[in-house]
Amino acid sequence: MKNLKSYLESGILEQYVLGDLSVKEKLDVENNARQYPEVRKELEEIENALMSYARSNAIDPSKKIKTNFLNAVNNSDQVNISSSVNTGESYVRSLKFYKYAFAASLTLLFISSVLLFNLNNKLNESYVQLAILQSDNQKFTKQVNYKENELSDTKNALQFYQNPTAYKLVTLKGSAKAPEASLLVALNEEKEEVMIDLSSLRMPSNDQEHQYQLWAMVDGKPVDLGVFDAKDDSTGMKKMKFIKDAQSFAVTLEPKGGSLNPTMDKMMAIGTI
Amino acid sequence: MRLKTKITLSENELVHAILTKDRNGAEALYDMYSSSLYGVIFRIVQHEEIAEDLLQDTFIRIWNSFSSYDASKGRLFTWMVNVARNIAIDKTRSKEFRNNSKTEDIENNVLTVDKQINSKINPEIIGLKDLIGKLKPEHKIILDLVYFEGFTHVEVAQKLEIPLGTVKTRLRNAIITLRKLFN
């Protein structure tokens, strides 16, 4: 150092001892102290002087502070020792904790799985029951619809019998070929309606290729009034075509869709108005 | 009257004892330095109860963070007095402390006087007290502001409205006077 004397007298060493320097300035002083015994000696003297100054201003604190401090030191020693042992022990403890936590998690998982399984079973059961109920419901709805249809058919049929003046009822009787056959035809000249009462139909069920055909005899000529099917459960009134001045009705069995002229040897029933 | 003997060790022995966490080291540390450090702390906070709490904190801090003391960089006491001063100054800057100190100033001034009377009875330092009287007042005030009240050089310059260079010079002269007095 070029000017050691002025460095020693600059006051920076006093500041160093008083703790009033930046980190960088402190490092500078420490470097110089290592290099120059003069700096080190100067620092020591400053320190000793200030320590003596502090001693000359000393005040005795109350006795309890000493007790407190020594107790704190003893306790903190125990804490230190136990905490250094603890690093092992707490490791074991935390390991134990994780073991228990893992076991608890597994147990919970198992319980949850069982519950979920049961719940799922119940849900499936409910689905089945729901499906059964729905199909039941559909069945009942169908039945109700069927009954309603039946009821309206019956009501329709009933009006012919309740209005004997408006409707002329003609009962077709079985021919020689089918003596058991019969059919009720209702004729309303005013409304120009011809209806057949399927519930009164007594004829064998027709197959897929054949249908029954209703004819009217007008002045000795057969006139087509439409085709119908005979089934065991056929009910209700079926509206047919209307023709004026019919003298009689007849039913023949014809190929599906009907024929232009009746097949006479397939005559099922006939009735005169 | 039985006087409890105080433990005294050389600085090297003491440092070793503290490093090895020897209980005697803690007691020696306290016996050797508590009154000097308390003097510094008390002058900064001016409140007996707070100062004693802080003294206790200071010793615990010294004990627990002793590994940060580097003997090659200075004497033990220099390091300790800086720890004590920092703890005390931190306290005076806390909001709680500033709120309290306004109302308790008078009471504490009485205590300060009491304490100074007590310390005068201490035969160990009675000679030193006389020596301090030989410091020039303009030197002493700067030294006390820095050493006992934790002012930085810059703060002293502002407070006393004198140049920073003058602060440094007077501080150095104050310490030179002390060196002559004590060595």
Side-chain angles (χ1 to χ4, degrees):
Chain A
M1 195 179 290
K2 275 183 186 173
N3 203 337
L4 193 58
K5 191 169 176 287
S6 73
Y7 181 74
L8 296 179
E9 289 172 359
S10 67
I12 194 167
L13 298 182
E14 284 80 1
Q15 274 181 287
Y16 176 80
V17 175
L18 290 165
D20 188 21
L21 288 183
S22 71
V23 176
K24 192 186 167 295
E25 290 170 321
K26 266 172 77 177
L27 288 175
D28 272 355
V29 172
E30 282 160 12
N31 278 334
N32 288 329
R34 266 194 295 277
Q35 281 181 46
Y36 304 100
E38 296 91 335
V39 173
R40 202 153 55 234
K41 189 170 174 295
E42 183 79 5
L43 282 173
E44 264 170 40
E45 286 188 14
I46 295 167
E47 285 191 88
N48 289 341
L50 285 172
M51 188 160 76
S52 299
Y53 188 56
R55 189 157 289 149
S56 72
N57 285 282
I59 305 169
D60 284 334
S62 56
K63 294 278 184 288
K64 65 171 195 246
I65 306 302
K66 180 175 178 177
T67 317
N68 289 352
F69 167 58
L70 293 179
N71 285 341
V73 164
N74 283 338
N75 289 339
S76 79
D77 276 358
Q78 279 161 11
V79 169
N80 283 342
I81 291 161
S82 57
S83 74
S84 62
V85 173
N86 248 341
T87 38
E89 198 181 297
S90 70
Y91 174 72
V92 170
R93 211 181 291 158
S94 72
L95 207 67
K96 259 187 195 169
F97 169 76
Y98 284 118
K99 259 191 214 165
Y100 286 129
F102 185 66
S105 307
L106 274 185
T107 312
L108 274 179
L109 184 68
F110 177 73
I111 292 170
S112 308
S113 303
V114 170
L115 286 177
L116 197 66
F117 180 75
N118 282 345
L119 216 62
N120 197 37
N121 276 351
K122 278 184 185 164
L123 189 67
N124 283 339
E125 242 170 65
S126 302
Y127 279 145
V128 170
Q129 278 179 350
L130 193 65
I132 290 171
L133 286 176
Q134 275 176 342
S135 81
D136 277 356
N137 193 21
Q138 272 179 348
K139 216 189 284 174
F140 287 127
T141 310
K142 268 185 195 165
Q143 251 172 26
V144 168
N145 283 341
Y146 177 75
K147 293 289 175 197
E148 268 181 4
N149 282 339
E150 218 175 38
L151 185 65
S152 71
D153 286 347
T154 311
K155 273 186 179 168
N156 282 338
L158 202 59
Q159 62 179 323
F160 306 127
Y161 304 103
Q162 286 171 339
N163 297 309
T165 48
Y167 287 95
K168 237 179 253 178
L169 298 176
V170 182
T171 307
L172 277 58
K173 291 206 166 77
S175 65
K177 231 180 146 301
E180 299 297 312
S182 77
L183 175 66
L184 188 73
V185 179
L187 173 69
N188 189 332
E189 294 275 0
E190 203 178 314
K191 285 187 179 172
E192 301 195 334
E193 267 182 0
V194 172
M195 316 277 280
I196 55 173
D197 183 0
L198 290 174
S199 58
S200 70
L201 182 65
R202 299 281 180 272
M203 282 183 202
S205 298
N206 55 304
D207 57 30
Q208 290 289 312
E209 282 89 43
H210 294 84
Q211 277 184 309
Y212 289 111
Q213 192 166 8
L214 180 69
W215 305 90
M217 298 305 286
V218 183
D219 301 331
K221 280 182 190 165
V223 177
D224 167 47
L225 293 187
V227 295
F228 63 91
D229 295 302
K231 283 171 195 160
D232 288 341
D233 58 350
S234 292
T235 58
M237 305 301 292
K238 183 169 164 62
K239 195 172 180 182
M240 307 303 284
K241 293 179 209 167
F242 175 77
I243 186 77
K244 269 193 166 181
D245 305 326
Q247 283 101 41
S248 62
F249 296 113
V251 174
T252 60
L253 188 65
E254 302 289 340
K256 193 177 170 80
S259 307
L260 284 176
N261 291 301
T263 312
M264 295 313 286
D265 61 338
K266 290 279 168 70
M267 175 75 75
M268 301 299 290
I270 191 159
T272 311
I273 297 164
Chain B
M1 195 176 130
R2 190 177 65 92
L3 275 171
K4 193 174 185 281
T5 48
K6 289 189 173 183
I7 302 177
T8 312
L9 298 171
S10 77
E11 195 162 320
N12 283 342
E13 285 169 338
L14 179 61
V15 168
H16 180 75
I18 299 171
L19 281 173
T20 55
K21 300 282 179 192
D22 179 356
R23 197 186 186 281
N24 285 335
E27 198 162 353
L29 173 72
Y30 187 88
D31 287 346
M32 290 164 73
Y33 298 109
S34 59
S35 55
S36 294
L37 293 179
Y38 186 62
V40 173
I41 293 169
F42 183 80
R43 276 173 179 79
I44 295 173
V45 299
Q46 300 279 313
H47 186 290
E48 191 177 56
E49 203 178 315
I50 294 172
E52 289 193 331
D53 281 351
L54 294 180
L55 180 69
Q56 195 178 319
D57 291 351
T58 300
F59 274 107
I60 290 169
R61 175 94 57 95
I62 288 167
W63 185 259
N64 287 338
S65 58
F66 197 72
S67 54
S68 62
Y69 168 61
D70 182 350
S72 71
K73 288 178 186 171
R75 296 200 61 174
L76 177 60
F77 184 77
T78 304
W79 178 72
M80 291 195 300
V81 83
N82 280 333
V83 171
R85 196 188 290 120
N86 288 337
I87 285 178
I89 290 168
D90 280 352
K91 184 71 180 179
T92 60
R93 286 177 186 159
S94 74
K95 203 177 172 186
E96 154 213 21
F97 180 87
R98 274 183 281 170
N99 290 342
N100 285 339
S101 61
K102 282 174 196 160
T103 52
E104 293 179 7
D105 270 349
I106 299 163
E107 183 193 348
N108 287 330
N109 283 340
V110 176
L111 277 171
T112 310
V113 174
D114 283 352
K115 279 288 166 184
Q116 280 167 346
I117 291 166
N118 283 345
S119 62
K120 269 179 184 166
I121 300 168
N122 191 336
E124 214 176 289
I125 61 166
I126 206 158
L128 295 174
K129 274 277 163 191
D130 294 338
L131 292 175
I132 299 304
K134 294 183 177 167
L135 275 176
K136 286 185 183 170
E138 71 265 32
H139 290 174
K140 189 175 184 299
I141 190 171
I142 292 174
L143 182 60
D144 286 354
L145 280 174
V146 174
Y147 199 57
F148 288 128
E149 295 190 39
F151 279 63
T152 65
H153 289 52
V154 177
E155 285 165 348
V156 172
Q158 283 166 352
K159 186 182 170 74
L160 300 181
E161 295 174 336
I162 51 174
L164 184 60
T166 309
V167 173
K168 287 188 185 182
T169 311
R170 286 186 187 171
L171 193 64
R172 176 163 163 77
N173 288 335
I175 292 171
I176 287 171
T177 309
L178 290 178
R179 283 159 67 174
K180 282 179 191 155
L181 292 173
F182 294 128
N183 295 343

